Structures are given as C-alpha cells and as structure tokens.
C-alpha cells in the first residue's frame, strides 16, 4: 500500500475525492431497492472483486515515489531546490552548453560561407 501526501487544492487531490464520491455513491446499500432492479449476487460480486486485476505500478512511478520518500526522510527537499536553481544546477548547465554549441555552429557556418563567396 502506498500513501502520498498532496495539497488539498491540487488537481490530484480533487480527482481522488471525485473517485471516492463515485465509489461511495455506487455502494449497493445506498441504492434504493426497487423491484425489477437487478443487484449483483453476493458470491458473484465477491469473485469479481477478488478476480479483478490490480493496477500495477510502473518502474518509473516506483522510482519517483522512492526518491520522494528519500528526500522527505533525509530532509533535503529545500536544499535540492536551492541547489538546482543556482548556477550549478543541471538545467542551467544544459542551457549553457546548448548556447555554446549554437554559437560555435554559427561561427563555423560564417567561415564556410565566407570561403564560398570569393
């Protein structure tokens, strides 16, 4: 069983609450009993619940969950956020390398074009 804490105003929390409401409203005891309405039999309903496939967690989801739990246990969430925003962050380094690569391409292109014109 996996537990996850989310903000009560997030999309994920709202969708979870909607699912819970649907599930509770579909409980057979809450449905009015009217003759002619077919209710699932006790054994068939139980076998359907037991035999239904459980939703499997992918490797990526499991890794993400493990990483989130590790960050919370070690108390490094804020430290990682601060580090990734700075100059030493991965995204900033990738953007810098991309800019350098583009600039180098433009210089090489200008040299090739200047050699072709004379």
């Amino acid at each position: 069983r996996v537990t996850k804490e989310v903000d009560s105003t997030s999309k994920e929390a709202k969708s979870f609450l909607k699912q819970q409401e649907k599930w509770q409203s579909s409980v057979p005891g809450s449905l009015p009993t009217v003759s002619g309405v077919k209710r699932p039999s006790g054994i068939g309903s139980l076998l359907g619940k037991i035999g239904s496939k459980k939703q499997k967690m992918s490797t990526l989801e499991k890794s993400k969950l493990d990483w989130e739990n590790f960050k919370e246990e070690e108390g490094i969430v804020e430290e990682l956020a601060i580090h990734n925003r700075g100059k030493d962050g991965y995204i900033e380094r990738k953007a810098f390398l991309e800019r350098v690569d583009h600039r180098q391409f433009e210089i090489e292109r200008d040299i090739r074009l200047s050699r072709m014109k004379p």
Side-chain angles (χ1 to χ4, degrees):
R1 184 159 238 227
V2 178
T3 59
K4 184 177 181 182
E5 291 182 20
V6 294
D7 188 18
S8 62
T9 59
S10 68
K11 288 183 182 178
E12 190 173 0
K14 290 177 183 177
S15 67
F16 177 76
L17 290 174
K18 285 182 183 178
Q19 284 180 338
Q20 291 291 3
E21 289 174 3
K22 284 183 183 178
W23 184 76
Q24 289 177 355
S25 67
S26 66
V27 174
S30 65
L31 293 175
T33 55
V34 178
S35 62
V37 175
K38 192 173 187 179
R39 288 194 284 170
S41 65
I43 295 174
S45 177
L46 288 175
L47 289 176
K49 289 179 183 177
I50 293 171
S52 65
K53 291 186 177 183
K54 293 182 181 178
Q55 187 177 9
K56 293 184 179 181
M57 184 180 291
S58 71
T59 305
L60 290 176
E61 291 170 341
K62 176 66 173 145
S63 297
K64 182 179 179 183
L65 184 65
D66 289 343
W67 174 242
E68 293 296 326
N69 288 336
F70 176 78
K71 288 192 303 187
E72 288 178 16
E73 288 172 3
E74 297 295 320
I76 58 174
V77 176
E78 291 178 17
E79 185 179 334
L80 286 172
I82 291 169
H83 179 71
N84 285 334
R85 276 189 232 134
K87 251 187 172 178
D88 297 331
Y90 174 78
I91 295 172
E92 183 63 34
R93 283 184 274 159
K94 291 296 279 186
F96 170 75
L97 291 174
E98 189 175 308
R99 289 192 309 268
V100 169
D101 210 20
H102 185 67
R103 193 173 301 138
Q104 184 68 29
F105 171 76
E106 288 176 347
I107 292 169
E108 291 172 357
R109 185 192 64 198
D110 292 341
I111 292 172
R112 281 195 310 270
L113 290 174
S114 67
R115 288 182 182 167
M116 291 176 67
K117 288 184 180 180

